Short mmCIF file of all heavy atoms in Angstrom, two decimals:
data_model
loop_
_atom_site.label_atom_id
_atom_site.label_comp_id
_atom_site.label_asym_id
_atom_site.label_seq_id
_atom_site.Cartn_x
_atom_site.Cartn_y
_atom_site.Cartn_z
N ARG A 77 95.03 106.83 96.33
CA ARG A 77 94.22 107.70 95.48
C ARG A 77 92.74 107.45 95.84
O ARG A 77 92.28 106.30 95.77
CB ARG A 77 94.44 107.38 94.01
CG ARG A 77 93.71 108.31 93.04
CD ARG A 77 93.96 107.87 91.61
NE ARG A 77 95.39 107.94 91.26
CZ ARG A 77 95.95 107.24 90.28
NH1 ARG A 77 95.22 106.40 89.56
NH2 ARG A 77 97.25 107.36 90.03
N PRO A 78 91.99 108.46 96.22
CA PRO A 78 90.57 108.26 96.56
C PRO A 78 89.79 107.64 95.40
O PRO A 78 90.06 107.92 94.24
CB PRO A 78 90.08 109.68 96.86
CG PRO A 78 91.32 110.42 97.27
CD PRO A 78 92.42 109.86 96.43
N ALA A 79 88.80 106.81 95.75
CA ALA A 79 88.04 106.10 94.73
C ALA A 79 87.34 107.05 93.76
O ALA A 79 87.26 106.80 92.56
CB ALA A 79 87.02 105.18 95.40
N ALA A 80 86.85 108.18 94.29
CA ALA A 80 86.15 109.14 93.42
C ALA A 80 87.10 109.71 92.37
O ALA A 80 86.71 109.89 91.21
CB ALA A 80 85.56 110.27 94.26
N LEU A 81 88.34 109.95 92.74
CA LEU A 81 89.32 110.47 91.80
C LEU A 81 89.68 109.40 90.76
O LEU A 81 89.84 109.69 89.58
CB LEU A 81 90.57 110.93 92.54
CG LEU A 81 91.66 111.62 91.71
CD1 LEU A 81 91.10 112.83 90.98
CD2 LEU A 81 92.83 112.01 92.62
N GLN A 82 89.77 108.15 91.20
CA GLN A 82 90.07 107.06 90.28
C GLN A 82 88.96 106.91 89.25
O GLN A 82 89.22 106.71 88.06
CB GLN A 82 90.24 105.74 91.04
CG GLN A 82 90.68 104.57 90.18
CD GLN A 82 92.10 104.72 89.70
OE1 GLN A 82 92.95 105.21 90.41
NE2 GLN A 82 92.37 104.27 88.49
N ARG A 83 87.72 107.01 89.69
CA ARG A 83 86.59 106.91 88.76
C ARG A 83 86.62 108.04 87.74
O ARG A 83 86.33 107.83 86.55
CB ARG A 83 85.26 106.92 89.55
CG ARG A 83 84.97 105.61 90.27
CD ARG A 83 83.54 105.57 90.80
NE ARG A 83 83.37 106.44 91.95
CZ ARG A 83 83.52 106.05 93.20
NH1 ARG A 83 83.87 104.80 93.47
NH2 ARG A 83 83.32 106.90 94.21
N LEU A 84 86.99 109.23 88.19
CA LEU A 84 87.08 110.39 87.29
C LEU A 84 88.17 110.16 86.25
O LEU A 84 87.95 110.37 85.05
CB LEU A 84 87.36 111.65 88.08
CG LEU A 84 87.63 112.92 87.25
CD1 LEU A 84 86.40 113.28 86.42
CD2 LEU A 84 88.03 114.08 88.16
N TYR A 85 89.34 109.72 86.69
CA TYR A 85 90.46 109.48 85.76
C TYR A 85 90.08 108.44 84.71
O TYR A 85 90.38 108.59 83.52
CB TYR A 85 91.69 108.98 86.52
CG TYR A 85 92.43 110.02 87.31
CD1 TYR A 85 93.40 109.66 88.24
CD2 TYR A 85 92.20 111.39 87.11
CE1 TYR A 85 94.11 110.62 88.95
CE2 TYR A 85 92.89 112.34 87.82
CZ TYR A 85 93.85 111.94 88.75
OH TYR A 85 94.55 112.88 89.46
N PHE A 86 89.41 107.36 85.15
CA PHE A 86 89.08 106.31 84.21
C PHE A 86 88.02 106.77 83.23
O PHE A 86 88.08 106.47 82.04
CB PHE A 86 88.62 105.04 84.94
CG PHE A 86 88.51 103.86 84.02
CD1 PHE A 86 89.64 103.18 83.58
CD2 PHE A 86 87.27 103.43 83.55
CE1 PHE A 86 89.55 102.11 82.71
CE2 PHE A 86 87.17 102.36 82.67
CZ PHE A 86 88.31 101.69 82.26
N ALA A 87 87.04 107.51 83.71
CA ALA A 87 85.99 108.02 82.83
C ALA A 87 86.57 108.94 81.76
O ALA A 87 86.18 108.90 80.60
CB ALA A 87 84.92 108.75 83.65
N GLU A 88 87.54 109.77 82.16
CA GLU A 88 88.18 110.67 81.20
C GLU A 88 88.98 109.89 80.17
O GLU A 88 88.96 110.21 78.96
CB GLU A 88 89.09 111.65 81.95
CG GLU A 88 88.33 112.68 82.77
CD GLU A 88 89.25 113.58 83.57
OE1 GLU A 88 90.44 113.22 83.73
OE2 GLU A 88 88.77 114.63 84.06
N SER A 89 89.69 108.86 80.61
CA SER A 89 90.47 108.03 79.68
C SER A 89 89.55 107.30 78.72
O SER A 89 89.81 107.24 77.51
CB SER A 89 91.32 107.02 80.47
OG SER A 89 92.07 106.20 79.60
N LEU A 90 88.46 106.76 79.23
CA LEU A 90 87.50 106.04 78.40
C LEU A 90 86.89 106.97 77.35
O LEU A 90 86.79 106.61 76.16
CB LEU A 90 86.42 105.44 79.29
CG LEU A 90 85.49 104.39 78.69
CD1 LEU A 90 86.28 103.19 78.20
CD2 LEU A 90 84.47 103.95 79.74
N ALA A 91 86.50 108.16 77.77
CA ALA A 91 85.90 109.12 76.85
C ALA A 91 86.89 109.53 75.76
O ALA A 91 86.51 109.66 74.58
CB ALA A 91 85.42 110.34 77.62
N ALA A 92 88.14 109.71 76.11
CA ALA A 92 89.16 110.10 75.14
C ALA A 92 89.36 109.02 74.09
O ALA A 92 89.49 109.29 72.90
CB ALA A 92 90.47 110.41 75.85
N HIS A 93 89.38 107.76 74.51
CA HIS A 93 89.56 106.66 73.57
C HIS A 93 88.35 106.51 72.65
O HIS A 93 88.49 106.23 71.46
CB HIS A 93 89.80 105.35 74.33
CG HIS A 93 91.22 105.17 74.79
ND1 HIS A 93 91.69 105.70 75.96
CD2 HIS A 93 92.27 104.52 74.22
CE1 HIS A 93 92.97 105.39 76.09
NE2 HIS A 93 93.34 104.68 75.06
N ARG A 94 87.15 106.69 73.21
CA ARG A 94 85.95 106.59 72.37
C ARG A 94 85.89 107.71 71.35
O ARG A 94 85.49 107.49 70.20
CB ARG A 94 84.72 106.62 73.28
CG ARG A 94 84.45 105.32 74.01
CD ARG A 94 83.32 105.45 74.99
NE ARG A 94 82.90 104.15 75.51
CZ ARG A 94 82.21 103.98 76.63
NH1 ARG A 94 81.88 105.05 77.37
NH2 ARG A 94 81.87 102.76 77.03
N THR A 95 86.30 108.90 71.74
CA THR A 95 86.31 110.03 70.81
C THR A 95 87.31 109.80 69.69
O THR A 95 87.02 110.08 68.51
CB THR A 95 86.65 111.33 71.55
OG1 THR A 95 85.63 111.58 72.55
CG2 THR A 95 86.71 112.51 70.59
N ALA A 96 88.48 109.30 70.04
CA ALA A 96 89.53 109.09 69.05
C ALA A 96 89.28 107.87 68.16
O ALA A 96 89.80 107.80 67.05
CB ALA A 96 90.87 108.95 69.75
N ASN A 97 88.47 106.94 68.66
CA ASN A 97 88.24 105.68 67.93
C ASN A 97 86.75 105.34 67.95
O ASN A 97 86.32 104.40 68.64
CB ASN A 97 89.04 104.54 68.56
CG ASN A 97 90.52 104.85 68.62
OD1 ASN A 97 91.25 104.66 67.66
ND2 ASN A 97 90.99 105.31 69.79
N PRO A 98 85.93 106.07 67.21
CA PRO A 98 84.47 105.88 67.26
C PRO A 98 84.02 104.50 66.82
O PRO A 98 82.90 104.08 67.15
CB PRO A 98 83.95 106.97 66.32
CG PRO A 98 85.10 107.33 65.44
CD PRO A 98 86.31 107.16 66.29
N GLY A 99 84.87 103.75 66.11
CA GLY A 99 84.48 102.42 65.67
C GLY A 99 84.66 101.34 66.72
O GLY A 99 84.21 100.19 66.53
N TRP A 100 85.30 101.66 67.83
CA TRP A 100 85.53 100.65 68.86
C TRP A 100 84.23 100.34 69.62
O TRP A 100 83.42 101.23 69.88
CB TRP A 100 86.55 101.15 69.87
CG TRP A 100 87.97 101.13 69.36
CD1 TRP A 100 88.41 100.72 68.14
CD2 TRP A 100 89.13 101.56 70.08
NE1 TRP A 100 89.77 100.87 68.04
CE2 TRP A 100 90.24 101.37 69.21
CE3 TRP A 100 89.34 102.09 71.36
CZ2 TRP A 100 91.54 101.69 69.60
CZ3 TRP A 100 90.64 102.41 71.73
CH2 TRP A 100 91.73 102.21 70.86
N ASP A 101 84.06 99.07 70.00
CA ASP A 101 82.94 98.72 70.87
C ASP A 101 83.33 98.99 72.32
O ASP A 101 84.48 99.39 72.62
CB ASP A 101 82.52 97.26 70.69
CG ASP A 101 83.63 96.26 70.98
OD1 ASP A 101 84.62 96.63 71.68
OD2 ASP A 101 83.53 95.11 70.53
N ASP A 102 82.39 98.84 73.25
CA ASP A 102 82.64 99.18 74.65
C ASP A 102 83.79 98.37 75.24
O ASP A 102 84.60 98.90 76.00
CB ASP A 102 81.37 98.96 75.48
CG ASP A 102 80.31 100.01 75.20
OD1 ASP A 102 80.64 101.04 74.57
OD2 ASP A 102 79.16 99.80 75.61
N ARG A 103 83.87 97.09 74.88
CA ARG A 103 84.92 96.25 75.44
C ARG A 103 86.30 96.71 75.00
O ARG A 103 87.22 96.82 75.81
CB ARG A 103 84.68 94.79 75.01
CG ARG A 103 85.80 93.81 75.43
CD ARG A 103 85.95 93.76 76.93
NE ARG A 103 87.05 92.90 77.33
CZ ARG A 103 87.59 92.89 78.55
NH1 ARG A 103 87.12 93.70 79.47
NH2 ARG A 103 88.58 92.07 78.84
N ARG A 104 86.44 97.01 73.71
CA ARG A 104 87.74 97.46 73.20
C ARG A 104 88.14 98.78 73.86
O ARG A 104 89.31 98.96 74.27
CB ARG A 104 87.67 97.62 71.68
CG ARG A 104 88.93 98.22 71.06
CD ARG A 104 90.11 97.26 71.09
NE ARG A 104 91.34 97.86 70.62
CZ ARG A 104 91.66 98.01 69.32
NH1 ARG A 104 90.82 97.58 68.37
NH2 ARG A 104 92.82 98.54 68.97
N ALA A 105 87.19 99.70 73.98
CA ALA A 105 87.49 101.00 74.60
C ALA A 105 87.90 100.81 76.06
O ALA A 105 88.84 101.46 76.55
CB ALA A 105 86.28 101.92 74.51
#
Side-chain angles (χ1 to χ4, degrees):
R77 185 183 298 157
L81 185 57
Q82 185 70 37
R83 286 191 287 269
L84 174 63
Y85 285 167
F86 190 76
E88 289 176 345
S89 179
L90 193 60
H93 279 85
R94 284 174 169 160
T95 299
N97 304 277
W100 286 359
D101 59 19
D102 287 347
R103 175 61 183 165
R104 175 70 186 280

